Amino acid sequence: MTTDLPVDLGMPSGSGSVSVDSQGAATGTTGVPRLADGTALTKKDFTSDQEVRWCPGCGDYAILAAVQGFLPELGLKRENIVFVSGIGCSSRFPYYLDTYGMHSIHGRAPAIATGLAATREDLSVWVVTGDGDALSIGGNHLIHALRRNVNLKILLFNNEIYGLTKGQYSPTSHVGQVTKSSPLGSLDRPFNPVSLALGAEASFVARTMDSDRQHLTSVLRAAAEHRGSALVEIYQNCPIFNDGVFDVLKDRTEAAARILHLTASEEVAAGDTVVVRDDQGVMTVTPRGEADPARIVVHDPGADDPSAAFALSRLDSPDLGHVPMGIFRNVSRPTYDDSLREQIASARTGAVTDADIDALLAGRDTWTVGA
Amino acid sequence: MSTKLVQKLDRVVIRFAGDSGDGMQLTGDRFTSETALLGNDLSTLPNFPAEIRAPQGTLPGVSSFQLHFADHDVLTPGDAPDVLVAMNPAALRANLADLPRGASIIVNTDEFSKRNLAKVGYGVSPLEDGSLEAWHVHPVAITSIAVEALASFTELTRKEKERAKNMFALGLLSWLYTRPTEGTESFLKSKFADRPEILEANLAALRAGYNYGETTEDFAVSYEVAPATMREGTYRNVTGNVALSLGLVAAAHRAGLPLFLGSYPITPASDILHTLAGLKRYGVATMQAEDEIAGVGAALGASFGGALGVTTTSGPGLALKAETIGLAVSLELPLVVCDIQRGGPSTGLPTKTEQADLLQALFGRNGESPVAVVAPSTPSDCFDIAVEAVRIATTYRTPVIVLSDGYLANGSEPWRLPRTAELPDIAVEFETEPNAVDAKGEPVFHPYLRDPETLARPWAVPGTPGLEHRVGGIEKADVTGNISYDPDNHDHMTRLRQAKIDGIADTIASLAVDDPTGDAEVLVLGWGSTYGPIAAGVRQARARGGRVAQAHLRHLNPFPANTGEVLRGFQRVIVPEMNLGQLSMLLRAKYLVDVESHTSVRGLPFQAGDLADVISAAVASVSHAPLKEAAK
Ligand SMILES: Cc1ncc(C[n+]2csc(CCOP(=O)(O)OP(=O)(O)O)c2C)c(N)n1
Ligand code: SF4
Ligand SMILES: [Mg+2]
């Protein structure tokens, strides 16, 4: 008997029709089997038969629709896509997608998905999590998945509240937020998920919003392309326990003045304001007329040093005065799962036989009795 | 040429003891290897402090390694040493109480300075005040003779030369017990391949120790212990942790699955992570996770993807993994969780042994959450138990907890090598086709449609077309696996999960009873690492004329089907455990048999002699009972 890794699961191998970017580098879906040329799936193919049970008006519906609409674009075989989630309203997501899925336990999805991605190069692995799930109980797993750069796409639905447990403040709730568990206002200073991810040196970090289908889809596309961990923060409205926190970003005029669109090689600007950088690297928002043109920030998501991306993430303010949206960082570095597979591949000397195992068991010092 | 006397012995127990910086574990290991190659049966007991370097020369800093070898089969590392090698006053003081009168003590006199004596509370040197009169003391200036032997190594500092003193001691003991040193020489050559002067110094010290024995008048006699009669076969010496690691690799190979280990370092389990991390050539993937929860989570994720997911830990880590093991119970996926138990609660005694996680393994999760639990009985049995754990996990799609402990993990014994091709056939088949039809007659996949025999659900891994499905920790409807909050369904699923685990009893060996006279009224029943001490205690009790039966459980959940029947067949059942009676509690609850618990939680294995006394007393109490034959 022999075992040859990766184990032969009786499935078509991913190699042969591998997706690579224009430079020929591996993308997020390299190694994942693709549909035959000329065939395509539709949104309907990704819609499971389960009744969706979020509250009416919940932002999760829009995200689900965007994801179901986007997945066919990947051109991947449906059976090679897996969604792993934790616990929370948002984490019900996998039940509504007709892919493989696991609704796991609170906060642990990044760890579970890491084991899956590490052993199965032929899968496109997605994690769905909430602000409580990812940043409170699962904070440790999140930062370690990002630091290792496991090839996972992590969608963090941020509604700044614990939805499923009916409205306690979360690690992204603002100071002073009155909730069931903070009747006199929350005392905790919130995490900025983008700053946190950049601090963990995530190789891909982006922010988008439930209501902007087009932007959300473009960010998902870039995340899927990226080989390595991608953290996508999605502002999500919870109409039941934290309604309207992102409303100012949904009003056309307000949004134009507040949203700093992050586009590679373009100035970071909103309305008639631009972002400038001082000698210390600190960024501020200034009226365009007052800005020194030499100090206007031109966005470079591919910068190796995460400092500029971090400075951009610090432009957030509790009143949503200015909110950078888009891809903060997108750099290429070795992924944990690829490196692990490489270590194994270079240690291997062919298929493992019974005789190899016999030799392994014997070790170096044996002695023989009788015969 | 030496003209000294050579005397034959049938068994010897040696304890090497020194400061934790003195290299006693290595010395013991090498002596063990030499002894194994000679064909003696043996058993070892390393015993070291939790601190890497406790203050030098103090009692807490003492590290020891005990080895029992014989020309017959050996069951334990021995109750009491025949020879103590004491490298400093602390080692003497810490171990003297275990030494029977008349035993030999080889002391390194160089370390018996005023300062070192004071550190352990000796006012006067015990070498000079006559307090060791009851023992055979061999004072040897080990450090200075070793340094002297290395006089020509001008490039080495005195400190470096002193470090070779353990090799001198090893050389001396090798001469004393007529052990070959070639194995150690080649070991040193590969260890110090890139430090030739250190290699030469160690070899010189080893030879100096050997020659010292041959020439000095202090040692008039050397000893021989003939090889034991062992079953025909090829043997190696193996520790429990290495055997467990190898068992996992061999079982994954037999199952045709890649092995994935997710683990977080913890004593005494870390060596499994170290061993498996070095086996990439066999396709083994290891991940040092950020914590125990991530370790088991990653393992479960790997199992979901069709690998053999394994996690290794000790008691504190098992506590952290509880919620994820519960998820695996709900997902009904294979998962092997190895708990190498140590003294508890909390951090407890990290380097000492105990078997107090039995109830945690069985019940330490929320909800009705049954898992299979197995326990190896000897270091080499760790191999077989790993294969058995993988068999159960993959056949029944369930988490299996393996309860080893510090004694088995670090202890070693000769292991008769199995042939890989003869290991149980545990090849796994994944689901590849829809297994049902829907109302419209279309083929569909039902992830919780069970195998009628094992009650296992299908293992359909991502990448299989047409079997896309979702699993999760929320209660699932029987068959379809959809979310269900229906009261009857939950009751049904809870009972199904229990029935699946109970059903494992159909495929495990019945509990075997060793009762040579066939009429014993006393049964001694153990589980896990107490096998050796119990078997040795039983043997001693029988040698005193007692009729006593012995049985040992390797499966703790479910128990072998005949367990209740066995228990009811004896007047008295004694259950020795290194906890406060956890197995006894289970047996009493399940079988309503009044078993008697005998317990010890000293961080050390039972002493065979103590058990023999307990057993003999029990036998004496029933000796007036009519013999079975007479009653017929
Ligand atoms: C171990 C554990 N602790 C607590 C809970 C209860 N719980 C479920 S979801 C949740 C918070 C979810 O908040 P978030 O991640 O923001 O998700 P949302 O519901 O807002 O989408 C909590 C505390 C649990 N399920 N498991
Ligand atoms: S509680 Fe909030 S987040 Fe949860 S489903 Fe309802 S609206 Fe959505
Ligand atoms: Mg939330």
Side-chain angles (χ1 to χ4, degrees), chain B residues 323-553:
Chain B
E323 192 194 9
T324 310
I325 297 172
L327 175 64
V329 168
S330 176
L331 300 186
E332 303 193 39
L333 283 171
L335 178 70
V336 176
V337 179
C338 303
D339 172 11
I340 317 303
Q341 302 164 92
R342 63 191 214 180
S346 190
T347 305
L349 305 173
T351 58
K352 312 291 177 199
T353 200
E354 201 161 284
Q355 27 175 209
D357 293 348
L358 176 58
L359 296 183
Q360 180 182 209
L362 262 87
F363 305 117
R365 288 166 298 284
N366 59 303
E368 293 289 349
S369 180
V371 300
V373 180
V374 294
S377 47
T378 67
S380 68
D381 189 37
C382 289
F383 179 89
D384 297 315
I385 216 76
V387 177
E388 173 66 350
V390 173
R391 179 191 75 84
I392 294 173
T394 53
T395 309
Y396 293 89
R397 316 278 148 88
T398 176
V400 179
I401 297 180
V402 176
L403 289 177
S404 178
D405 62 30
Y407 171 54
L408 296 178
N410 296 318
S412 69
E413 65 175 355
W415 173 37
R416 186 172 175 274
L417 293 171
R419 248 188 270 282
T420 304
E422 288 163 17
L423 293 174
D425 178 10
I426 49 175
V428 166
E429 274 180 41
F430 295 123
E431 201 75 1
T432 54
E433 301 289 335
N435 56 2
V437 285
D438 66 8
K440 285 174 275 170
E442 298 287 324
V444 289
F445 176 58
H446 284 155
Y448 281 78
L449 184 65
R450 292 166 193 280
D451 178 309
E453 205 172 301
T454 60
L455 297 181
R457 75 175 191 92
W459 194 1
V461 303
T464 316
L467 307 192
E468 291 85 353
H469 66 282
R470 276 66 53 194
V471 292
I474 298 190
E475 183 62 283
K476 289 157 302 294
D478 190 19
V479 181
T480 65
N482 291 329
I483 292 180
S484 168
Y485 299 106
D486 177 64
D488 290 339
N489 177 73
H490 178 56
D491 188 85
H492 179 62
M493 289 294 277
T494 304
R495 291 173 201 282
L496 265 179
R497 286 186 288 260
Q498 184 65 50
K500 181 177 82 166
I501 298 303
D502 292 345
I504 296 169
D506 297 342
T507 60
I508 64 183
S510 13
L511 180 61
V513 178
D514 171 40
D515 181 8
T517 52
D519 59 1
E521 292 291 1
V522 174
L523 171 73
V524 189
L525 177 69
W527 70 278
S529 77
T530 52
Y531 172 77
I534 292 175
V538 164
R539 196 181 275 177
Q540 287 180 30
R542 285 176 186 158
R544 296 174 199 170
R547 283 182 297 231
V548 56
Q550 188 196 354
H552 205 74
L553 287 164

Side-chain angles (χ1 to χ4, degrees), chain A residues 4-124:
Chain A
D4 199 2
L5 293 177
V7 70
D8 180 5
L9 300 167
M11 286 166 300
S13 119
S15 45
S17 59
V18 153
S19 128
V20 290
D21 71 7
S22 50
Q23 272 86 52
T27 76
T29 57
T30 299
V32 183
R34 310 184 66 74
L35 293 166
D37 286 346
T39 56
L41 297 171
T42 64
K43 178 175 178 187
K44 198 166 156 275
D45 293 312
F46 285 99
T47 306
S48 80
D49 62 355
Q50 298 297 295
E51 182 197 347
V52 184
R53 297 220 191 138
W54 288 308
C55 308
C58 176
D60 292 352
Y61 282 99
I63 305 174
L64 176 63
V67 170
Q68 286 169 334
F70 161 72
L71 287 175
E73 210 186 279
L74 287 174
L76 301 175
K77 294 191 169 177
R78 189 176 64 169
E79 62 269 22
N80 289 78
I81 300 175
V82 185
F83 276 76
V84 181
S85 66
I87 297 290
C89 297
S90 36
S91 288
R92 295 293 177 98
F93 205 86
Y95 289 117
Y96 308 136
L97 280 174
D98 202 1
T99 63
Y100 280 90
M102 187 198 291
H103 177 217
S104 75
I105 44 175
H106 203 16
R108 317 301 173 194
I112 293 170
T114 294
L116 182 61
T119 44
R120 292 290 303 271
E121 186 179 18
D122 61 332
L123 302 178
S124 172

Side-chain angles (χ1 to χ4, degrees), chain B residues 27 52 58 81 105 126 145 195 209 211 284 296 299 416 439 476 556 558:
Chain B
T27 310
I52 302 305
T58 61
I105 307 174
I145 306 176
R195 308 202 45 202
N211 295 340
V284 177
V296 67
R416 186 172 175 274
K476 289 157 302 294
L556 284 312

